[in-house]
Amino acid sequence: MRDLAANLARQLDRQKALNLYRTRRVLESPAGVTAVIDGQRYLSFCSNDYLGLANHPEVIQAMQQGAADYGVGSGAAHLVSGHSRAHHALEEELAAFTQRPRALLFSTGYMANMGTVSALAQRSDTLYADRLNHASLVDAALLSQARLRRYPHADLATLEKWLGDDGAEPKWIISDGVFSMDGDLAPLPQLATLASQYNAGLIIDDAHGFGVLGKHGGGIAEHFAMDATQVPVLIGTLGKAFGTFGAFVAGSEDLIETLIQHARSYIYTTALPPAIAQATRVSLRLVQTESWRRTHLIHLVARFRTGMEQLGFLSMLMPSPAAQGRASVAGERSEGFRMPEATTPIQPLRVGDAARALALSQALLAHGILISAIRPPTVPQGSARLRITFSANHSDAHIDTLLDALSEVL
Ligand SMILES: *Cc1c(COP(=O)(O)O)cnc(C)c1O
């Protein structure tokens, strides 16, 4: 490997030339609407802490008490001796919250997806995955070694054709609930109908819907009022709207037992710190009881979209025309799909070119606003964007500051 250093340097240079080089900013503040970087304060619009719970005093207090009661590390994997009363109680509360018989905690959403898909799908199965699914679902599909077919985003006609054309092998439809980089909703009722019609399993990763959608924050399943028979494998993460860390899978008794037996990313890893589970139990309660956080988010998004319309920028907001086109594919009135897009706190601004996205992000920084540029391969080639996200801790004045800055830099 004499050439290793030179090879790596050449590859990194190429990435820089393509404006795809990634760097990290060092944060000196807690997660929140204000970010301190290099001693400077910025108004942040790019975190997934949608409900503003990551730095909530009651959640912090529960974490501190949890550390006092259980220590810091869990000490072992769940199946050895790491499964504490705190984990167990949280699993029971997540099952009740999702109205599923059981829930199983994973250490991260990435691991929940890897473990679930690879435990369920055999090598001889076929997986049908939305092309805009999160990278962890793509990696999970690859790990399973099943045949993978990626259908164009929300394209139900193509999905149905493929399901009909393929043989009698076991099939799985896999989709984000709320798409992480676009903010639109999967056409879940139609996906469930296709799954039932073609005898396919349905795996939904609702990392961005939980806490945000539904009257009680139950995510896309609550939004569309879909039960465990319609959405049998429901995955959520805890590091986003819940404001803590970790993930869970909710479903039937047999699903959870299967994962305990076979999900390698569950079995072969240290259990989450129990203090995190204790903190999450409090955030789970706040998610359900403090519905004003969701109401306020919807208000903020509406204020933002109205402001963008007044500035003449509304058409720059995603989702992509392709996603809007699916309305006709799904045989629904296009108005039917406007509402969900306008109610998720993910409001990406389409830019296209990676260099321009970086330049805009930089220009906003000069106006005191932090929004990172999202570039390939996180999003498809030519669809670089500023992924603007809102938190229940933002105020009307924050939205107006953002709109002023956008009108300057665009
Ligand atoms: C963030 C995210 C994940 C990963 O969750 P982590 O807990 O951060 O590992 C999985 N799926 C989707 C759709 C996500 O947005």
Side-chain angles (χ1 to χ4, degrees), residues 24-42 44 55 370:
R24 303 169 303 170
R25 294 194 180 88
V26 180
L27 221 67
E28 295 151 15
S29 52
V33 300
T34 306
V36 179
I37 300 166
D38 280 337
Q40 291 271 10
R41 292 166 69 85
Y42 298 93
S44 168
N55 193 33
L370 176 67

Side-chain angles (χ1 to χ4, degrees), residues 94-298:
L94 285 167
F97 171 62
T98 56
Q99 301 188 349
R100 265 74 183 156
R102 281 188 68 185
L104 186 70
L105 277 178
F106 279 76
S107 293
T108 69
Y110 193 104
M111 293 167 76
N113 286 341
M114 296 295 267
T116 303
V117 175
S118 61
L120 296 178
Q122 310 301 310
R123 200 192 281 249
S124 50
D125 298 2
T126 299
L127 307 177
Y128 303 85
D130 190 293
R131 193 163 287 160
L132 292 189
N133 278 353
H134 190 261
S136 58
L137 283 177
V138 179
D139 293 356
L142 295 175
L143 180 69
S144 76
Q145 298 186 289
R147 172 170 176 243
L148 174 60
R149 302 194 75 179
R150 299 178 72 188
Y151 57 90
H153 181 47
D155 182 346
L156 297 163
T158 298
L159 173 60
E160 176 157 22
K161 180 167 183 339
W162 289 356
L163 285 164
D165 288 350
D166 287 342
E169 78 279 15
K171 299 178 170 68
W172 302 87
I173 299 171
I174 305 182
S175 179
D176 281 21
V178 172
F179 284 86
S180 58
M181 295 299 133
D182 291 65
D184 58 331
L185 274 66
L188 190 60
Q190 293 89 336
L191 290 180
T193 302
L194 286 177
S196 140
Q197 219 168 317
Y198 292 91
N199 194 26
L202 180 59
I203 300 176
I204 296 295
D205 170 4
D206 201 22
H208 298 272
F210 274 113
V212 166
L213 294 177
K215 189 160 183 289
H216 305 97
I220 193 167
E222 185 185 0
H223 176 82
F224 285 119
M226 299 182 71
D227 63 22
T229 53
Q230 296 163 301
V231 186
V233 186
L234 185 56
I235 301 170
T237 55
L238 301 170
K240 287 161 185 165
F242 290 91
T244 61
F245 190 78
F248 63 92
V249 179
S252 69
E253 181 73 30
D254 285 347
L255 169 71
I256 300 307
E257 282 303 316
T258 299
L259 296 180
I260 292 173
Q261 310 309 316
H262 299 297
R264 294 167 66 87
S265 63
Y266 178 79
I267 300 167
Y268 298 108
T269 199
T270 301
L272 277 180
I276 296 272
Q278 290 295 64
T280 306
R281 294 178 66 192
V282 170
S283 87
L284 176 58
R285 172 170 54 74
L286 295 172
V287 161
Q288 295 171 89
T289 54
E290 299 199 346
S291 57
W292 65 264
R293 293 177 187 276
R294 277 180 291 283
T295 314
H296 184 57
L297 261 184
I298 290 169

Side-chain angles (χ1 to χ4, degrees), residues 319-332:
S320 58
Q324 282 164 344
R326 72 155 184 237
S328 56
V329 174
E332 305 239 348

Side-chain angles (χ1 to χ4, degrees), residues 377-397:
T378 306
V379 293
Q381 278 298 334
S383 74
R385 66 198 66 180
L386 296 182
R387 181 177 178 270
I388 301 171
T389 56
F390 298 107
S391 156
N393 283 348
H394 282 124
S395 66
D396 286 7

